[in-house]
Amino acid sequence: MLKPLTLTLSLILFFSCQNRDPETVFSIEKINALQKRIDTVENDSNFFYLKQIDSVLTDNPSYPDSLKAENSFLIGMDYKQKGKIDSASVYFHDAIGLVHNSLENKRQSFYFLETYNTYFERGLYGDCLTTIEKFRSLLDTVNNNKHFRSIIWALHWEKEVNLKLGNWNKAEKNTESQLKIAKRKDTLSIPYAAIALAEIKYHHLNDKKGAFKLLDEILKNEKKLSLSSKNQLFEEAGILQYYEGNFDSALSNYLMSLKIAKLDSQLYDKISNLADAYNNIGEVYMDLNNNSLSRAYLDSTKFLGFNNLDYRIQKDLLRYELRLAALTDKSMVRAYEVLDSINSYQDKMYAKRMQSQLLDLTKAIKKEKQLLQEKQQSELQNVKLANRILLLSISIGLLALVGYFLYQRKNFIVDRQQLQNQQRLLRSQMNPHFTFNTLYAIQNELKAQPEEAGKHLLTFSRLLRLTLENSTQNYVELEKELEALQKYLDLQRLRHPNLFTYEIVFEENSTKDELLFIPPMLLQPFVENSIEHGFLGIDYPGKITVKLRMQKSFLHCTIEDNGRGISPKMQEFKKSHSIRLISDFILKVTKQKLTIQNKQEMNPDSTGTMVTFLIPFKRTEND
C-alpha cells in the first residue's frame, strides 16, 4: 500500500494529465501542507514530487508567490544535499526573487542564507554582494530592532566577502557595526564579532595595538559575559600574544581559557575546548624551555582520547609531540615513536576516507533501490488511473535512474583509483629508506655538531608536517610544495655531502609571488631519481635544476641534472611505479605526455637527464 503522501501526489499527477484545472484538484492550503511535510520528512522521492508541484505552480500564475518561493527553496535544498551546488544556487536565486517588499517570516531569511552560502562556496562574490543588497533592502521596511539578528547576518556575510576580496578596511567596518549591535542586543554574539575584528586588525591592518586594546576592553566587562564567551576571548588573546612572542602573557590567557573550560559543564564541545587549551599550553611551555610541563599538558590532551578529537586537534598534537621529542630525546628513540604514530595516523586517515567513499556508495545503492521500488509501486497504482503516455513516461524515468546510478558508480570507481594512487605516491615520497637514513645522519651529528643536528631535525620535522598536510589535499599552494621540495633536497645533501647542488628557477613570464595551487607530490620522485641513480659513481659535482614558467593555463616544468644519464640498464626507472602514476595523471589532465630524455641525445657534449611536463594549476582553492 502506498504512503499517504505518495498517493496524494500521485492523484495530482493523474488529474494534471487529464488537463483539469489544478486549483480544482488541490487547494493552496493542501500544497502548503505538502511542502511542510516534504521539508520535515526525508524521502528519496521528494524531488520527483517537488518538480511536479513546480510544474503545476508554473502553469498557473494565480497561485501566490510565497508557495512558488517555498517550492523553489525545497528543490534547491534537495540539490544541495546531493552535492549539486550549481543547480541548488539556481533554485535558491529563484526563491529570493519571489520575495517582495519585506520579509514576512524568518523562513524567508533562510532563503537568502542558502543563496549566499552557495554563491560564496562557488567563489561568486559579486553575486554574494547582490544577494546581501536585496536582503538589506527588505530589512529597511521592517522593524530593525525586532530583526537585529538579520542585520547581523548581513554584516557578517559582507565581512566574509570583503575578506575574500582583500577589502580589509570595509571588512573592519562591517565587523565594528556587528559588534556594536551585539553589545546592545545579543551578548552571545559578542565574542564572535570581537575575535573577528581583532584578527582583521592584527593580521590585515597591522593594527596590533588596536587588536589587543579591543580584547582587553571586552574582557574588562567579563562579568557580563557567559563562560563560553570568556573561553573564546581568552584563547584568542593568548594566540595573538603568542604571535607577538609574549609567551608569558600567552600562557596566562591560555590558563584562564583552560580554567573556564573546566568550570562550564554546558560548554559546547567541551572536549575540543579542553584539548585546544592543553595543546596551546603545551606549545608555549616548549617555547619557555619547560619541557616537563609541556609533556604533562600534551599527555592531558591524549588522556581525553585521541579518537575523540577532531582532525585539526589530532594533527596539532602529533606536531607538538614530534617537536618535543626533538627537544628532549637526544637518543632519537622518542622521535622514532612519534614518527611511527604519524605514519599510523596517515594510514588511518586514508582508510577512513576510503571507508567513507564505500559507505556513500552503499547508501546510494540503497537509495536507488528504494526509489526504484517506490516507482514500481506507483506504476501499479497508476495503471488504473493514467493512460499509456504516463506509463511510458515512468518507464523513461526508470531508464534515466538506472543510467544515473551507473554514472555515479563509474565516478566512484575513478575517485577510489585516484585516492589509491595518491596514497601510493605519498608512500613513494616518504619511503622508510630515506626517512631512517636521514635520522641516522642527524644522529651522527649530535655529538660533533649538536646545534647543526638540531637545525636538521627541525628541517626534517617541517618536511614531515608539509608532507602530512599536502598529501591529504587535491591541490596545495605552490609555495608549500616548493618548500617541501627544498627541505627534501637539503636533507639529501646532509646524507650525501658535496655530492650535488640545486636551484629552483622561475623564468621571465612567471612569478613566484603569484598565488597558485598545484597537485602535490609531482616533483620529488624525479629529483630522487637524479640523486639515487644519476649521480651514482660520478667524480664531479652534480647539479639539479628545476625550472618553472607559465604556459597558458599550465605551468611548464623542466627538471634536469648533469649526472650519468639513462643507460640501457637503467631504462627500468622509467617504468617505476611512481613515475608511471605521475605520467598517467599528467596525460589525463593536460592531454600532453611527460618526456624523459638523455641530454646527450640533444647535445653530445652534455650529460644527464631532462624531464619535461605540464602541471595544471588553480588560482584559488574554489576554482
Side-chain angles (χ1 to χ4, degrees):
M1 183 176 181
L2 290 176
K3 297 179 182 178
L5 177 59
T6 303
L7 181 58
T8 303
L9 287 167
S10 298
L11 290 173
I12 294 179
L13 296 179
F14 168 72
F15 283 111
S16 297
C17 292
Q18 299 301 318
N19 296 320
R20 297 188 183 182
D21 184 0
E23 292 190 45
T24 65
V25 178
F26 233 64
S27 66
I28 292 174
E29 290 76 13
K30 289 183 179 179
I31 291 180
N32 190 28
L34 281 172
Q35 289 176 340
K36 290 181 179 179
R37 289 194 61 182
I38 290 173
D39 185 40
T40 55
V41 179
E42 183 177 350
N43 193 307
D44 291 327
S45 58
N46 283 349
F47 181 75
F48 173 77
Y49 299 124
L50 284 170
K51 293 292 288 184
Q52 297 304 319
I53 294 176
D54 185 61
S55 177
V56 171
L57 294 174
T58 303
D59 293 339
N60 294 272
S62 59
Y63 282 112
D65 286 345
S66 59
L67 276 184
K68 299 175 182 178
E70 177 66 14
N71 213 68
S72 293
F73 177 72
L74 291 173
I75 294 174
M77 290 300 295
D78 191 275
Y79 274 126
K80 180 181 178 181
Q81 291 169 2
K82 294 173 181 175
K84 299 179 179 180
I85 302 302
D86 290 353
S87 299
S89 64
V90 171
Y91 282 93
F92 289 148
H93 178 79
D94 290 343
I96 66 172
L98 293 167
V99 180
H100 309 293
N101 301 326
S102 65
L103 293 178
E104 297 177 1
N105 50 60
K106 188 176 181 181
R107 178 72 168 182
Q108 292 178 337
S109 297
F110 284 99
Y111 298 171
F112 286 88
L113 172 63
E114 293 297 343
T115 306
Y116 165 81
N117 285 339
T118 53
Y119 284 147
F120 191 84
E121 186 174 342
R122 297 170 60 198
L124 302 177
Y125 304 125
D127 291 330
C128 288
L129 292 174
T130 301
T131 302
I132 296 169
E133 183 179 354
K134 177 167 184 180
F135 186 57
R136 279 180 167 164
S137 70
L138 297 173
L139 294 176
D140 290 341
T141 63
V142 298
N143 185 347
N144 288 342
N145 290 326
K146 182 179 179 181
H147 295 87
F148 65 89
R149 284 194 176 87
S150 296
I151 299 174
I152 290 177
W153 279 14
L155 290 168
H156 173 70
W157 298 345
E158 189 171 0
K159 178 259 295 182
E160 286 186 321
V161 173
N162 282 322
L163 287 177
K164 286 291 184 180
L165 296 176
N167 300 328
W168 316 127
N169 291 321
K170 290 183 179 180
E172 180 187 32
K173 290 180 180 179
N174 295 145
T175 316
E176 286 175 344
S177 299
Q178 186 180 349
L179 180 60
K180 185 177 179 180
I181 296 174
K183 287 180 178 179
R184 296 199 320 264
K185 299 291 183 180
D186 186 13
T187 56
L188 291 177
S189 299
I190 289 177
Y192 301 104
I195 290 172
L197 183 56
E199 289 182 345
I200 292 171
K201 290 178 179 291
Y202 187 92
H203 294 294
H204 301 300
L205 297 176
N206 198 27
D207 184 11
K208 297 181 179 180
K209 290 184 179 179
F212 287 115
K213 181 180 178 181
L214 170 66
L215 293 176
D216 288 341
E217 289 176 353
I218 299 295
L219 288 170
K220 282 180 182 178
N221 299 317
E222 62 173 302
K223 292 182 179 179
K224 300 180 180 179
L225 300 173
S226 67
L227 289 176
S228 177
S229 299
K230 295 177 188 177
N231 174 270
Q232 298 171 60
L233 290 165
F234 276 113
E235 181 182 24
E236 179 66 16
I239 291 171
L240 296 186
Q241 291 289 359
Y242 184 85
Y243 289 156
E244 287 293 288
N246 301 327
F247 300 134
D248 289 327
S249 297
L251 177 61
S252 176
N253 283 288
Y254 287 155
L255 289 171
M256 285 298 298
S257 175
L258 175 62
K259 180 180 178 181
I260 294 169
K262 289 180 177 179
L263 286 175
D264 189 1
S265 60
Q266 303 299 321
L267 186 64
Y268 173 74
D269 202 1
K270 185 169 185 175
I271 291 180
S272 293
N273 282 276
L274 288 172
D276 272 330
Y278 287 138
N279 275 352
N280 289 335
I281 296 171
E283 180 186 28
V284 79
Y285 268 129
M286 275 189 275
D287 290 289
L288 292 172
N289 298 318
N290 194 333
N291 296 328
S292 60
L293 280 177
S294 177
R295 164 58 57 202
Y297 279 98
L298 293 181
D299 286 345
S300 296
T301 305
K302 291 189 290 186
F303 183 74
L304 295 173
F306 190 82
N307 293 330
N308 295 329
L309 309 177
D310 64 31
Y311 169 75
R312 174 186 59 81
I313 297 174
Q314 290 176 343
K315 186 173 66 174
D316 288 344
L317 177 60
L318 290 173
R319 178 161 55 88
Y320 298 149
E321 285 279 336
L322 185 60
R323 180 184 170 193
L324 185 59
L327 293 172
T328 59
D329 193 350
K330 300 302 181 183
S331 68
M332 305 301 295
V333 173
R334 179 59 183 165
Y336 286 133
E337 291 177 353
V338 176
L339 180 60
D340 288 340
S341 297
I342 291 175
N343 289 332
S344 175
Y345 173 71
Q346 286 181 303
D347 289 340
K348 288 180 180 179
M349 290 302 298
Y350 279 114
K352 184 177 180 180
R353 288 176 63 183
M354 181 62 70
Q355 185 178 5
S356 177
Q357 293 282 353
L358 292 174
L359 182 60
D360 289 342
L361 178 60
T362 302
K363 289 182 178 179
I365 293 173
K366 183 178 179 181
K367 287 184 177 180
E368 294 296 343
K369 288 182 177 179
Q370 182 181 356
L371 184 57
L372 187 60
Q373 291 173 355
E374 291 182 359
K375 294 295 183 183
Q376 290 171 342
Q377 291 177 355
S378 178
E379 285 181 27
L380 294 175
Q381 293 295 327
N382 290 334
V383 165
K384 299 178 181 180
L385 302 175
N387 54 30
R388 293 181 179 180
I389 296 176
L390 180 59
L391 180 61
L392 179 60
S393 299
I394 295 176
S395 299
I396 294 173
L398 290 173
L399 290 175
L401 287 173
V402 172
Y404 173 76
F405 167 73
L406 294 176
Y407 174 75
Q408 291 289 68
R409 182 179 178 83
K410 180 181 178 181
N411 284 346
F412 170 76
I413 293 173
V414 172
D415 291 343
R416 181 174 62 182
Q417 184 177 7
Q418 290 179 348
L419 184 62
Q420 291 171 339
N421 289 344
Q422 186 184 37
Q423 185 177 18
R424 290 169 186 154
L425 275 178
L426 174 62
R427 295 187 182 280
S428 68
Q429 183 181 16
M430 292 302 296
N431 61 73
H433 179 74
F434 165 76
T435 299
F436 292 107
N437 281 351
T438 301
L439 288 173
Y440 181 75
I442 295 173
Q443 190 173 17
N444 287 340
E445 281 196 332
L446 281 173
K447 294 182 180 179
Q449 301 182 69
E451 291 184 3
E452 289 297 319
K455 293 179 181 179
H456 291 311
L457 188 57
L458 289 176
T459 299
F460 181 66
S461 172
R462 175 61 177 166
L463 176 60
L464 287 178
R465 178 185 175 187
L466 287 170
T467 302
L468 176 65
E469 292 176 349
N470 292 355
S471 65
T472 58
Q473 304 296 323
N474 292 327
Y475 278 79
V476 299
E477 287 186 32
L478 175 61
E479 181 180 354
K480 287 189 177 181
E481 184 68 7
L482 292 181
E483 181 186 355
L485 181 64
Q486 289 174 335
K487 294 193 180 301
Y488 173 80
L489 287 166
D490 290 339
L491 292 173
Q492 285 284 25
R493 281 170 52 81
L494 171 66
R495 292 179 56 206
H496 307 287
N498 304 319
L499 177 62
F500 70 95
T501 60
Y502 72 89
E503 66 175 338
I504 300 175
V505 179
F506 288 82
E507 297 187 355
E508 297 178 349
N509 58 341
S510 303
T511 171
K512 186 176 180 181
D513 297 328
E514 187 174 358
L515 184 62
L516 300 177
F517 296 83
I518 67 171
M521 301 175 287
L522 295 181
L523 306 177
Q524 183 267 344
F526 300 105
V527 172
E528 181 180 8
N529 278 323
S530 295
I531 299 170
E532 301 297 336
H533 302 291
F535 297 150
L536 183 64
I538 65 173
D539 57 358
Y540 55 87
K543 183 175 181 180
I544 297 173
T545 304
V546 180
K547 295 181 180 179
L548 296 170
R549 64 181 172 86
M550 300 289 286
Q551 181 174 314
K552 295 183 180 179
S553 58
F554 300 102
L555 277 179
H556 185 279
C557 177
T558 302
I559 302 173
E560 59 178 301
D561 63 62
N562 64 342
R564 297 185 305 163
I566 306 174
S567 64
K569 295 181 179 179
M570 296 173 59
Q571 288 292 334
E572 287 298 320
F573 112 87
K574 287 186 178 182
K575 301 177 183 179
S576 69
H577 191 64
S578 59
I579 301 298
R580 180 167 55 81
L581 288 174
I582 294 175
S583 298
D584 292 343
F585 173 77
I586 294 298
L587 179 60
K588 180 179 179 181
V589 176
T590 68
K591 310 304 180 185
Q592 298 289 328
K593 290 185 178 180
L594 178 149
T595 62
I596 303 174
Q597 294 178 291
N598 265 327
K599 293 167 64 176
Q600 196 170 31
E601 296 174 0
M602 299 178 285
N603 184 354
D605 297 328
S606 298
T607 62
T609 305
M610 177 181 291
V611 181
T612 58
F613 57 94
L614 298 179
I615 302 176
F617 69 84
K618 297 180 177 181
R619 296 189 182 276
T620 70
E621 292 180 287
N622 296 319
D623 282 352

